[in-house]
Amino acid sequence: MSTGNLSGPAPDGPVDLDRPPAPPAAPDPRLLVRPVGRGERTGELRRRLAAGETGFLPVLVALVVIGAVFHSLNPAFLSAENLSHVLVDAAGPGLIAVGVVFVLLLGEIDLSVGSVSGLAGAVFAVLNVTHGVPEGPALLLAVLTGTTAGLVHGFFFARVGVPAFVVTMAGLLAWNGLMLQLLGANGTINLDDSGLLARLTRHYFTDISAAYGLATAVVVGHLLLTLRAARERRAAGLPWRPVGELLARTALLAALCYAVAHVLNQYKGLPLALVIFLGVVVLTDFVLRRTVFGRRVTALGGNVEAARRAGTDVAAVRIAVFAVAGTLAALGGLVIASKIAAANQGAGSGDLLMSCIAAAVIGGTSLFGGRGRTWSALLGVLVIVSIQKGLQLESLAEPVKYMITGGVLLAAVVLDSVSRRKRAVTGRG
């Protein structure tokens, strides 16, 4: 009785029984248990950097450089008041950028998020101020307006087959026109300075325990989740980080979180806008990393045909992603309207769209799809807003701000392209 070749497909031609068997192929080092020695971990870090897996390192270095440069030009840049304003100003564009991350994970683009954000502010203002609708229902309807706009974009893209670039460009024009129509000839509707919407950016938790409590929750939550993930990966024979490394990372995070909490308490305390922004980032990060929907979004960005053959409803996922982007664009637009306490014709225009896309890319989300996290939006928008605030302190003209922001965006895209090429060469992406 003959036996089959259990090690692979049968070779072509006659088999030489006297030839010694070929040595087994070297296993992929990513499938082995992570080495625990300091030298081995250093070597692994070097290999990952050489392969283009830089993670959040470039944007963290950029934030340090930005802080050092602008502090040297004006010591007020690192003051508690200015840093608090940076975090509050980042909340609106940051929420929009989180939605952009979802779309970029598909390898697509949404050019309408700026107009949708302005439309949401206009819908709220017309309902609440003009027609007397209570703020709660008006807020809900304004957010649902963004969701509806995203569903329209997703339908034409996923079901009809119109390219996302064209669909969202049409949305950019159409939703902006609808916003202007709603605002009417006056063009501006002022909001209640003491109302619910205004409190989104004007309310601070003044008790020092609020900021330190949030910092503690972030640190403890991160430690528990990483320990659990390491235990599960070790049990499955997948790469894992040793406890010592996880504790070191947690210590660095704790130092950063408590430093931010200390700075915030030197001014007015913990801003509500920052709490909302962080809550959305954490929630969406959980959705992308821990749910079936999130895994399908990432899979579509990596290989659409493979995802389809695996049973993914490609059209439904695409429509849902654009709905998420529209919802978060509306929420971000409401936060921006809260900041200025008005809805006007300039809402959603200017450099808002480019800033939100730049924030997602600068934070590490790939323009080619399949790679990125919602934390990219947080880090990227901090880079954008920090540059803008620093240039404002130096009283530089708007053209200079645009040129510098454009240069930072180009650098981020170049880094993404180079990293992608290195990952392709090394077989890591």
Side-chain angles (χ1 to χ4, degrees), residues 155-397:
F155 172 80
F156 281 100
F157 169 56
R159 298 294 185 186
V160 182
V162 182
F165 180 88
V166 177
V167 171
T168 57
M169 180 178 289
L172 181 153
L173 299 173
W175 306 130
N176 186 67
L178 179 57
M179 178 192 72
L180 297 178
Q181 181 69 28
L182 290 175
L183 292 176
N186 186 31
T188 300
I189 300 178
N190 294 321
L191 305 176
D192 183 4
D193 290 344
S194 59
L196 174 62
L197 183 65
R199 289 200 297 270
L200 293 180
T201 54
R202 300 189 182 191
H203 180 75
Y204 290 79
F205 299 97
T206 55
D207 192 327
I208 62 172
S209 62
Y212 288 122
L214 180 60
T216 302
V218 170
V219 172
V220 173
H222 174 268
L223 178 61
L224 294 177
L225 290 175
T226 52
L227 287 175
R228 177 183 176 183
R231 183 171 61 252
E232 292 175 349
R233 293 178 68 85
R234 183 177 184 179
L238 296 173
W240 56 279
R241 291 189 176 94
V243 174
E245 182 177 341
L246 296 180
L247 292 177
R249 287 168 172 259
T250 304
L252 291 175
L253 177 64
L256 175 62
C257 290
Y258 286 114
V260 172
H262 174 74
V263 170
L264 291 176
N265 283 329
Q266 300 305 305
Y267 184 52
K268 293 182 178 180
L270 177 65
L272 175 60
L274 177 60
V275 175
I276 295 173
F277 184 23
L278 288 177
V280 170
V281 170
V282 171
L283 176 61
T284 51
D285 181 70
F286 175 83
V287 169
L288 284 178
R289 300 179 63 195
R290 303 289 181 179
T291 66
V292 174
F293 171 73
R295 289 191 289 270
R296 287 175 176 173
V297 171
T298 305
L300 281 182
N303 191 315
V304 176
E305 188 57 33
R308 180 181 288 109
R309 294 186 179 184
T312 299
D313 188 339
V314 175
V317 173
R318 285 173 166 171
I319 292 174
V321 165
F322 278 91
V324 169
T327 302
L328 291 175
L331 185 57
L334 291 170
V335 173
I336 294 173
S338 169
K339 181 68 178 177
I340 62 176
N344 56 45
Q345 294 179 340
S349 60
D351 64 342
L352 178 62
L353 170 63
M354 290 297 103
S355 294
C356 294
I357 296 176
V361 176
I362 290 171
T365 301
S366 176
L367 281 170
F368 303 98
R371 184 173 61 88
R373 295 178 59 183
T374 54
W375 290 99
S376 304
L378 171 63
L379 296 174
V381 79
L382 286 179
V383 170
I384 296 293
V385 176
S386 296
I387 292 175
Q388 293 174 346
K389 282 290 186 180
L391 296 177
Q392 286 177 4
L393 289 176
E394 296 304 308
S395 301
L396 295 178

